[in-house]
Amino acid sequence: SAVISQKPSRDICQRGTSLTIQCQVDSQVTMMFWYRQQPGQSLTLIATANQGSEATYESGFVIDKFPISRPNLTFSTLTVSNMSPEDSSIYLCSVDTTLGETQYFGPGTRLLVL
Amino acid sequence: DQQVKQNSPSLSVQEGRISILNCDYTNSMFDYFLWYKKYPAEGPTFLISISSIKDKNEDGRFTVFLNKSAKHLSLHIVPSQPGDSAVYFCAASSSNTGKLIFGQGTTLQVKP
């Protein structure tokens, strides 16, 4: 399994501001993803973080709102831009080292936008 | 279009008995099905998965059954323990993308 850490673990932000979330993995991984869990909802994939190239976004998510960086095989960042209260969610990064058989998640970043 | 569905929002069982959590899917192209346990303030914890070419996988107290013809899978927990109380999510993935599609989750309560 992979050990994944995220920073910050939680934050309270004002609307209109941006927050960058960091995800660090203890080993090199090919597949890294970012998910969101809105209050009372399930987990939804935001994007696949591709090393050395632009992230691949799911329907309903755009790069201007959720820019992602993946400078190497152990690290990625997700920025939530121009935040509104609707962005209040838990943001989670995950890694897959087994081509779909298992996927491990970080502890999550709990974001509250006022 | 909900590709993965967990139709039971909650389940309550007595300690020591079996817990059965169900999940249905619509896309026959999924390669793997995964189960996660989640507490409110934490990330999901991977429990067990099953390949689409198998019909059963077992790991300790956890067993997952897959019925491809019915597009249905279930997670059995035996014996159930109070520490198993959490939200359980099933998810489906394609091996070429690794993307997970989650069900809505089932809240399991195991009573002492």
Side-chain angles (χ1 to χ4, degrees), chain A residues 3 26 57 77 80 92 103 107:
Chain A
V3 178
D26 68 340
Y57 290 85
T77 67
V80 186
L92 299 136
Q103 191 165 130

Side-chain angles (χ1 to χ4, degrees), chain A residues 80-92:
Chain A
V80 186
S81 303
N82 188 23
M83 288 184 284
S84 67
E86 292 71 34
D87 294 319
S88 298
S89 298
I90 300 173
Y91 291 87
L92 299 136

Side-chain angles (χ1 to χ4, degrees), chain B residues 33-62:
Chain B
F33 302 92
L34 300 80
W35 284 94
Y36 289 87
K37 175 182 179 181
K38 189 178 184 302
Y39 295 115
E42 300 178 9
T45 299
F46 172 77
L47 289 174
I48 190 170
S49 65
I50 188 167
S51 165
S52 62
I53 62 173
K54 295 186 177 181
D55 55 19
K56 179 182 175 181
N57 190 27
E58 189 172 358
D59 184 1
R61 296 188 298 117
F62 302 96

Side-chain angles (χ1 to χ4, degrees), chain A residues 53-104:
Chain A
S53 64
E54 193 171 284
T56 305
Y57 290 85
E58 297 301 304
S59 175
F61 298 96
V62 295
I63 187 172
D64 290 346
K65 176 67 175 176
F66 297 101
I68 289 171
S69 78
R70 178 93 190 269
N72 56 53
L73 293 176
T74 64
F75 185 79
S76 178
T77 67
L78 168 75
T79 299
V80 186
S81 303
N82 188 23
M83 288 184 284
S84 67
E86 292 71 34
D87 294 319
S88 298
S89 298
I90 300 173
Y91 291 87
L92 299 136
C93 68
S94 71
V95 301
D96 182 340
T97 60
T98 54
L99 296 178
E101 186 175 4
T102 57
Q103 191 165 130
Y104 298 102

